[in-house]
């Protein structure tokens, strides 16, 4: 396996896998969600540590009251479920739980784009910036294009070209065909839609 040293590297990432057609490529290049996982782990570690300190100190007869459990317990016993404060706390906890579930379940945008190969058990990963540069270079090769820009936004490729020609419609069709041919040649595992803008002489 060969890995690039950064997101802007041109070196592709080769990942052997099975079930390419069944979504294996998407799972292989899915972001690890390291930051949310670390935050959740630290929060659970802190809660567990505080609980352990309170339990052990109580068993030793020297209770440490870092967290005001007695006040919280009294508030919970004397507050009705339909109280505004209770509903606000419950809603906040539900939103935090829902956010954690969505972070874990919804695929994020990775730095690499999976490309199909002739081998169904092999995926090639290309950095998004490298893919954008390839599309920009292909657009610049079209006759009549003075300058081109390309950017990947999720699974959308935004390509913008400038020209000195008055007839921007015909040029736009040629650029679209060229960029779509380049996408077909690279063969991303996920469909990439193209948004093209042509700017003529002002």
């Amino acid at each position: 396996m060969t890995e690039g040293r950064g997101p802007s590297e041109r070196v592709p990432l080769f990942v052997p896998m099975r079930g390419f057609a069944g979504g294996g490529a998407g799972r292989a290049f899915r972001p690890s969600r390291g930051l949310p996982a670390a935050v959740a782990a630290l929060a659970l570690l802190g809660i567990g540590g505080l609980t352990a300190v309170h339990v052990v100190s109580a068993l030793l007869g020297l209770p440490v009251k870092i967290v005001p459990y007695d006040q919280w317990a009294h508030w919970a016993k004397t507050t009705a479920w339909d109280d505004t404060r209770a509903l606000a706390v419950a809603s906040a906890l539900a939103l935090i739980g829902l956010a954690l579930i969505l972070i874990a379940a919804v695929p994020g945008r990775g730095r690499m784009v999976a490309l199909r190969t002739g081998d169904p058990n092999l995926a090639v990963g290309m950095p998004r910036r490298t893919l954008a540069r390839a599309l920009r270079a292909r657009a610049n090769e079209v006759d009549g294009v003075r300058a081109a820009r390309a950017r990947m936004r999720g699974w959308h490729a935004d390509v913008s070209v400038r020209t000195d020609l008055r007839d921007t419609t015909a040029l736009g069709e040629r650029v679209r065909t060229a960029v779509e041919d380049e996408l077909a040649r690279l063969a991303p595992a996920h469909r990439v839609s193209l948004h093209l803008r042509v700017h003529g002489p002002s």
Side-chain angles (χ1 to χ4, degrees):
M1 183 171 65
T2 304
E3 294 191 21
R5 293 183 293 274
S8 62
E9 288 282 340
R10 293 176 179 270
V11 181
L13 173 67
F14 297 89
V15 177
M17 59 182 25
R18 295 189 179 184
F20 187 94
R27 289 191 297 270
F29 294 100
R30 179 180 295 184
S32 60
R33 304 292 197 180
L35 180 60
V39 172
L42 289 175
L44 293 176
L45 179 62
I47 294 172
L50 287 174
T51 303
V53 169
H54 278 258
V55 171
V56 172
S57 63
L59 292 175
L60 295 177
L62 299 171
V64 177
K65 295 185 178 181
I66 302 176
V67 178
Y69 286 115
D70 294 337
Q71 298 179 13
W72 291 1
H74 177 72
W75 178 81
K77 291 180 180 179
T78 57
T79 303
W81 284 106
D82 57 354
D83 186 87
T84 304
R85 294 172 297 174
L87 292 176
V89 172
S91 299
L93 293 176
L95 288 175
I96 293 174
L98 179 60
L100 292 175
I101 292 174
L102 290 176
I103 289 173
V106 177
R109 187 184 69 177
R111 294 180 177 180
M112 308 288 285
V113 176
L115 306 180
R116 298 181 181 275
T117 66
D119 187 346
N121 295 324
L122 181 67
V124 179
M126 173 181 286
R128 289 178 175 272
R129 292 182 180 179
T130 303
L131 176 58
R133 284 197 294 267
L135 299 182
R136 181 187 64 190
R138 187 66 184 89
N140 273 320
E141 293 175 359
V142 177
D143 292 336
V145 173
R146 176 160 53 90
R149 299 177 60 184
R151 185 176 181 181
M152 291 297 299
R153 297 178 181 272
W155 297 111
H156 305 278
D158 288 341
V159 178
S160 175
V161 299
R162 294 189 176 276
T163 180
D164 295 326
L165 301 177
R166 293 291 181 180
D167 186 4
T168 58
T169 301
L171 177 65
E173 293 177 355
R174 295 199 302 271
V175 173
R176 179 177 295 276
T177 299
V179 174
E180 288 179 346
D181 288 346
E182 183 68 9
L183 284 172
R185 184 184 69 83
L186 294 173
H190 190 286
R191 181 181 178 275
V192 175
S193 61
L194 174 62
H195 180 227
L196 176 64
R197 288 172 294 180
V198 181
H199 303 280
S202 56

